[in-house]
Structure formats: structure tokens, C-alpha cells
């Protein structure tokens, strides 16, 4: 799953997914971003099952929100690039 290792802990894997999403903002394909969506879905399942302090859960939710926004942005850019190609750069 995109090199996201369980030993990193949920926070570490969310942070790694955020870094991978940022790196895909320019030039990603829809298929590459699809891998991020799948990874995020798996992390969502784990997040739901995670118990912890209120502060830890808030931080996990913040990381999840940031990851989701970045993946959505990368997906939108990939779809636009696929559908419109160079015409986007000209706009």
C-alpha cells in the first residue's frame, strides 16, 4: 500500500500519505491517485477502530482531513490533465 508500513503507526502512515499526495499534485495520473484513495480508505477503517485520548483523535482527524483534501486536489488535477491536457496550462 504505497509503502505505508504498519510499524510507522497511524499518524506516521497518514503523514506519509500526505507527503505522497503532495508529490503527486503535479503530473499524477488518475490511476496513481486511485492508489492514494485506496490507501486512504484502508487508513479510514483503521482510524475508526482506533481508541485513544481526545487529543490524539483530534490530531488523527486533522491529519485525515489534510490527507483527504490533498488526495481530492491531486485527483481533480489528474482528471483535468487527462481530459484537457495542455489546455489547462494555457488557462
Amino acid at each position: 500500500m504505497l509503502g505505508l508500513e504498519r510499524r510507522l503507526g497511524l499518524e506516521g502512515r497518514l503523514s506519509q500519505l500526505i507527503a505522497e499526495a503532495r508529490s503527486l499534485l503535479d503530473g499524477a495520473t488518475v490511476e496513481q491517485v486511485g492508489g492514494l484513495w485506496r490507501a486512504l480508505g484502508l487508513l479510514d477503517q483503521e482510524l475508526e477502530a482506533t481508541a485513544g485520548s481526545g487529543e490524539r483523535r483530534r490530531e488523527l482527524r486533522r491529519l485525515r482531513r489534510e490527507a483527504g483534501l490533498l488526495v481530492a486536489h491531486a485527483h481533480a488535477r489528474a482528471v483535468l490533465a487527462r481530459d484537457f491536457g495542455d489546455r489547462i496550462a494555457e488557462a
Side-chain angles (χ1 to χ4, degrees):
M1 176 176 76
L2 301 171
L4 299 176
E5 299 178 30
R6 290 195 64 81
R7 65 183 167 83
L8 292 175
L10 190 52
E11 292 92 340
R13 286 178 284 145
L14 280 166
S15 295
Q16 188 173 357
L17 188 118
I18 288 168
E20 290 186 31
R22 281 191 180 124
S23 73
L24 291 180
L25 284 176
D26 292 320
T29 65
V30 173
E31 292 77 21
Q32 288 172 312
V33 178
L36 291 178
W37 279 124
R38 286 186 292 281
L40 194 56
L42 292 172
L43 291 173
D44 280 345
Q45 291 172 2
E46 189 173 339
L47 182 59
E48 291 218 7
T50 300
S53 69
E55 185 174 327
R56 179 171 186 255
R57 291 200 49 83
R58 276 189 297 279
E59 177 62 12
L60 289 171
R61 282 193 307 264
R62 184 194 68 74
L63 288 169
R64 168 51 181 94
R65 187 171 37 256
E66 182 177 353
L69 289 171
L70 284 167
V71 172
H73 187 171
H75 184 257
R77 290 178 64 94
V79 168
L80 288 171
R82 179 195 66 199
D83 293 350
F84 298 103
D86 292 335
R87 290 180 282 178
I88 292 174
E90 298 168 2

